[in-house]
Amino acid sequence: MKKIVFFAIFVFLLAMLTVTASAHSATVYDDADLLTAEEEEKLSAACNCSTEGVRFYVVTAHAQMTNSAVIGRCGIGEDTDAIVLVIDQTNGKYYYEMFTYNRADQWLSDSQADRILDDDDVYSSIKSGEIYQGAGLFLQEAQNELEQSLEAERKREAREPLMIVITALVVGALAGGGAVLGVFLYYRKKQHGESYPLDRYASLQLTESYDRFVGSYVTRVRVQSNNGGGGGGGRVSGGSRGRR
């Protein structure tokens, strides 16, 4: 009995460690010193960012950051699905901006991004200088919206096979009905006799025939190819979803 209890406890602890290891905490870059060391640590641990591998970032800055600056600061690559909150203090006022990249940019709609940015608690906290509280609320709202979007996508993917079957049945029924109607009309037309017996009262005799070659034309189009380099993959998709 003791062995069974010990084994059950061991399995439970192993499962908890596995869940903890699979989760990703938020990454915080407090470049503008708007957070204390304790707040920075708590903010990082407060986010269980394990939703489809999406990474969450919080960045504080002395001025508004460009899209390329955010990508460089957070190390966003072509395979990095990320949601970034940038909080800057410009002319004594606090502003915040949301950036989404790659799959995270596709998963969150514009209406969802607006709901996150315009949340009353997020807005009032950050605007009043409560950066730690506002950033934590932002991470929570973003996580919730992301999970809702992914759940809706999973339901849509589950319905796709049924829609394919229904579409195939409808197309098959229409094609079969069209074929039957075509055969019916064809044989119905054949049942009618000729309106005039042309072979009985008229005849045609060919007295002369010849072929005339009218010529042919060949058109050649030269397509210019651009081998001057440039391009290449590895580009990050996404960017700013709004600033408040």
Side-chain angles (χ1 to χ4, degrees), residues 19-37:
V19 172
T20 303
S22 62
H24 299 280
S25 59
T27 302
V28 180
Y29 297 115
D30 187 21
D31 298 334
D33 294 328
L34 301 181
L35 300 168
T36 65

Side-chain angles (χ1 to χ4, degrees), residues 47-182:
C47 177
N48 181 20
C49 310
S50 58
T51 305
E52 293 294 334
V54 175
R55 298 178 180 272
F56 284 70
Y57 297 85
V58 177
V59 182
T60 65
H62 295 286
Q64 183 179 5
M65 297 182 66
T66 63
N67 183 48
S68 58
V70 174
I71 293 175
R73 183 66 182 94
C74 299
I76 305 295
E78 59 176 322
D79 298 326
T80 307
D81 307 316
I83 298 177
V84 183
L85 169 65
V86 177
I87 303 175
D88 65 272
Q89 187 177 20
T90 305
N91 297 327
K93 295 182 180 180
Y94 293 101
Y95 299 90
Y96 61 100
E97 190 168 1
M98 178 181 180
F99 295 82
T100 55
Y101 297 103
N102 298 320
R103 292 191 303 171
D105 185 69
Q106 302 172 5
W107 286 333
L108 288 180
S109 64
D110 291 338
S111 60
Q112 288 179 302
D114 288 337
R115 281 199 298 268
I116 298 170
L117 290 168
D118 295 330
D119 181 82
D120 292 337
D121 295 332
V122 173
Y123 183 89
S124 59
S125 297
I126 296 179
K127 287 297 185 178
S128 62
E130 298 177 359
I131 307 303
Y132 167 73
Q133 180 178 351
L137 292 170
F138 173 91
L139 293 175
Q140 181 180 350
E141 291 297 323
Q143 182 83 0
N144 292 337
E145 291 291 345
L146 182 61
E147 290 176 352
Q148 292 178 12
S149 179
L150 291 174
E151 180 63 23
E153 183 174 350
R154 282 190 288 266
K155 291 181 179 179
R156 179 183 59 81
E157 291 177 352
R159 291 194 300 265
E160 282 184 355
L162 178 61
M163 295 302 299
I164 292 176
V165 172
I166 295 176
T167 303
L169 291 176
V170 172
V171 172
L174 292 176
V180 172
L181 180 61

